Amino acid sequence: MLIKFRKASDAHESEVTPKELFLNRRSFMAAAAAAGGTALLPAFPNDARAVFTNLKKDPKFQTLEKPTTLDGITSHNNFYEFGTGKTDPKKNAHTLKPRPWSVEISGHAAKTGVFDLDDILKPHQLEERIYRLRCVEAWSMVIPWVGFPLGDLIKRFEPTSKAKYVAFETLVDTEQMPKQKLPILDWPYVEGLRMDEAMHPLAILAVGIYGDDMPNQNGAPIRLVVPWKYGYKSIKSVVRINFVEKQPPTTWNIQAPGEYGFYSNVNPNRDHPRWSQARERRITGEGGFKALIAPKIETKMFNGYDDVASLYTGMDLIRNH
Ligand code: MTE
């Protein structure tokens, strides 16, 4: 993974847009679209937007930690289909069109096919889950996702006993994702989970942040969120979910097998070959330049999500990194 040093400008106070203003801007733009005006955001079908009205908020998945501001979440991240810089996704992801969107479900399952995303979403009750995200470059955020358990979707498509892993793929479309014209990665971005990991109740498919649609730069319209693993496992803009028998290839393992394994569990005891993973710097989205010199905090095993430990009983998590 390319290492970029954070510039002071990445977190300047003047860039911080309060959530309310951002949401008002989105409503304004949706209204502009409805009125036939120019809008940067897609006009969503009414039923797709309605799903955000009744979000379940299970206290189990809330947190006392202060979430990163919406501006922090949307202006500093990785989405190489739009460039390798941390501010590139925000600058460039306006070319992504999150609707209409199809997802193919394939492989070892009773039900397979290509489905419109809104049909896939209909049976699921969306909920808010505030999860910590720990990136391999040692920064972290706290993000209020809107989504639903990946396991609920998996059950609907009835995988067979041959389905030992779930493989995911991002869209390939050089019009919508212009940096795919460059050989930065082996496109499409691909990821995978073992079936029991995918079925764990903490793993979700997310369609929004802060109670609204997923911003393009965070992986619209649907992405994976696996909070106990490093951020790169959480693949964005998913177009295919494939039930497979063998451990599937994963993008960062293909790029640098010595540095990135299949499991990629957050593990402060296993250094990355080029740096320690013992600590992290929390991006709050507030504090401007001060955020750059904020003290680092200890990284917890499984990013603090100890519930998943039993998935790995008996495994050497240094070797199986
Ligand atoms: N998914 C795709 N398709 N392309 C990417 O470049 N980057 C990954 C992951 N998912 C990436 C991706 C990495 S390295 C991280 S840290 C997270 O997305 C960061 O994005 P987020 O802050 O929006 O979760």
Side-chain angles (χ1 to χ4, degrees):
M1 201 169 300
L2 298 182
I3 309 303
K4 284 257 170 187
F5 290 102
R6 202 156 168 252
K7 294 186 295 259
S9 59
D10 287 354
H12 195 276
E13 255 165 338
S14 65
E15 285 181 28
V16 177
T17 312
K19 182 191 153 208
E20 291 70 17
L21 283 184
F22 180 90
L23 296 181
N24 285 343
R25 189 179 67 82
R26 291 175 74 106
S27 313
F28 168 77
M29 294 172 94
T38 313
L40 297 175
L41 292 173
F44 283 82
N46 289 335
D47 59 342
R49 292 197 56 88
V51 293
F52 287 91
T53 56
N54 206 7
L55 291 180
K56 186 168 124 191
K57 292 189 185 183
D58 186 332
K60 236 186 3 235
F61 303 120
Q62 305 296 308
T63 170
L64 293 176
E65 287 174 285
K66 197 171 176 205
T68 301
T69 61
L70 183 61
D71 198 63
I73 296 166
T74 54
S75 30
H76 177 103
N77 68 351
N78 288 325
F79 199 169
Y80 277 28
E81 286 83 342
F82 297 103
T84 55
K86 299 278 179 269
T87 52
D88 286 345
K90 180 182 179 175
K91 265 187 257 155
N92 301 330
H94 57 273
T95 50
L96 178 66
K97 295 192 194 80
R99 292 291 194 289
W101 192 269
S102 302
V103 178
E104 181 182 359
I105 313 280
S106 57
H108 298 294
K111 297 177 187 163
T112 54
V114 177
F115 302 90
D116 185 80
L117 177 61
D118 293 319
D119 292 330
I120 290 200
L121 295 182
K122 256 176 215 152
H124 295 282
Q125 193 199 343
L126 295 183
E127 47 187 292
E128 180 182 85
R129 296 212 182 167
I130 307 183
Y131 281 163
R132 286 180 292 281
L133 169 95
R134 168 62 159 85
C135 281
V136 78
E137 296 104 329
W139 49 272
S140 62
M141 292 187 187
V142 178
I143 303 185
W145 301 105
V146 176
F148 60 96
L150 169 64
D152 289 357
L153 177 132
I154 292 176
K155 279 185 228 146
R156 278 173 60 206
F157 291 93
E158 300 172 20
T160 68
S161 58
K162 277 192 164 173
K164 308 280 188 228
Y165 294 86
V166 188
F168 302 85
E169 273 178 41
T170 294
L171 176 72
V172 178
D173 181 334
T174 52
E175 295 295 308
Q176 293 191 55
M177 298 177 154
K179 291 291 191 277
Q180 287 180 332
K181 288 180 193 147
L182 306 173
I184 304 170
L185 297 174
D186 221 351
W187 314 112
Y189 196 102
V190 289
E191 256 307 336
L193 295 171
R194 215 172 56 193
M195 184 56 91
D196 58 344
E197 298 181 303
M199 292 302 295
H200 194 279
L202 281 168
I204 59 170
L205 287 168
V207 294
I209 284 176
Y210 267 118
D212 205 350
D213 300 309
M214 185 67 74
N216 282 1
Q217 62 265 45
N218 292 90
I222 186 161
R223 61 167 289 171
L224 186 64
V225 179
V226 194
W228 70 93
K229 292 180 182 279
Y230 289 112
Y232 63 89
K233 291 297 280 187
S234 291
I235 182 173
K236 298 181 162 122
S237 304
V238 170
V239 291
R240 187 167 179 221
I241 298 177
N242 190 14
F243 296 108
V244 296
E245 199 169 358
K246 302 244 161 65
Q247 183 176 298
T250 59
T251 285
W252 282 103
N253 183 249
I254 297 168
Q255 299 301 317
E259 302 194 0
Y260 306 103
F262 176 80
Y263 285 95
S264 314
N265 291 319
V266 174
N267 187 348
N269 307 314
R270 194 226 171 240
D271 289 344
H272 182 282
R274 290 182 280 139
W275 60 83
S276 162
Q277 290 290 27
R279 297 188 305 145
E280 66 199 62
R281 180 166 282 131
R282 181 65 50 80
I283 297 180
T284 62
E286 289 167 347
F289 186 69
K290 270 189 277 164
L292 297 176
I293 49 172
K296 287 191 171 183
I297 51 176
E298 302 288 310
T299 289
K300 295 190 179 133
M301 188 67 201
F302 303 122
N303 205 17
Y305 296 97
D306 297 333
D307 274 8
V308 301
S310 61
L311 295 174
Y312 309 103
T313 307
M315 280 178 72
D316 176 344
L317 292 182
I318 301 290
R319 205 162 52 83
N320 294 289
H321 59 87

